[in-house]
Amino acid sequence: DDDEDEDDEMEEDPCQVVFGVTTAINLANKQDLNCVKQLQKMVFEKAEKYATESVLAQFREALTSGNKCTALLLNERFVNIPAAVCVPMFENLLMEIERAKTKGMPYKFDYFLVFVKYYQKAASGAKAAEVLYSNDEEEYFIKDCAASFDYSVQKETTTALAGNWLEEDEELQPFRKVLLIEASKLPETINTIKSLVASATNN
């Protein structure tokens, strides 16, 4: 059957395999959805416990004041997929956002809300604590963010090992860093990551 053969070809086509996803979800126009309310509640509860008052105020303004348009930025991929793949994914996202804005769609964002996954290896003797990011490029999001706070997810997850691990590696303690990134700065951050990836590839 031709249809079955075509389906088989699509299933076997490596171009159809999804290794990651990068997208932005407008939170400002979804305030009435339970999932958005739960997300806001979780962020505020964590910020009240782990952030300064000024940082908490920034998150409240970005997420619930009605004066700012904030999107949840999702950047996920399989473990050990190199950071280089994030560049075309982010470039495509930026193009899609610009295309949507020209059509009058609600994609003119002030901020992106980002959850960064990282792991910390405790300091040992003269050796300082070591931080490993699930997605290496997100270290540069942190450098350019407007506000952030950290919290441990040790009680919610088992201890973990990041990518490229060996059996004798030490266990790493899982954390999350919550970021507010000014939307206007994201293209510059992506360009920085692109340059670093290109430099690493050429060396």
Side-chain angles (χ1 to χ4, degrees), residues 140-154:
Y140 296 92
F141 292 170
I142 295 168
K143 292 179 179 179
D144 292 336
C145 74
S148 69
F149 65 89
D150 303 74
Y151 64 93
S152 171
V153 292
Q154 182 63 44

Side-chain angles (χ1 to χ4, degrees), residues 73 90 94 112 141 181-191:
L73 181 61
F90 274 112
L94 293 176
F112 289 107
F141 292 170
I181 300 174
E182 292 180 35
S184 61
K185 291 187 176 181
L186 185 60
E188 181 181 346
T189 303
I190 300 308
N191 283 334

Side-chain angles (χ1 to χ4, degrees), residues 2 9-10 33 39 52 61 66 70 73-74 82 101-102 115 144 150 153 156 163-164 176 179 182-183 188 190 199:
D2 291 341
E9 289 177 5
M10 289 183 65
L33 294 180
L39 175 64
T52 64
E61 181 184 20
T70 299
L73 181 61
L74 298 176
K101 288 194 293 188
T102 62
F115 289 83
D144 292 336
D150 303 74
V153 292
E156 297 149 31
N164 299 315
R176 298 291 182 270
L179 313 178
E182 292 180 35
E188 181 181 346
I190 300 308
S199 177

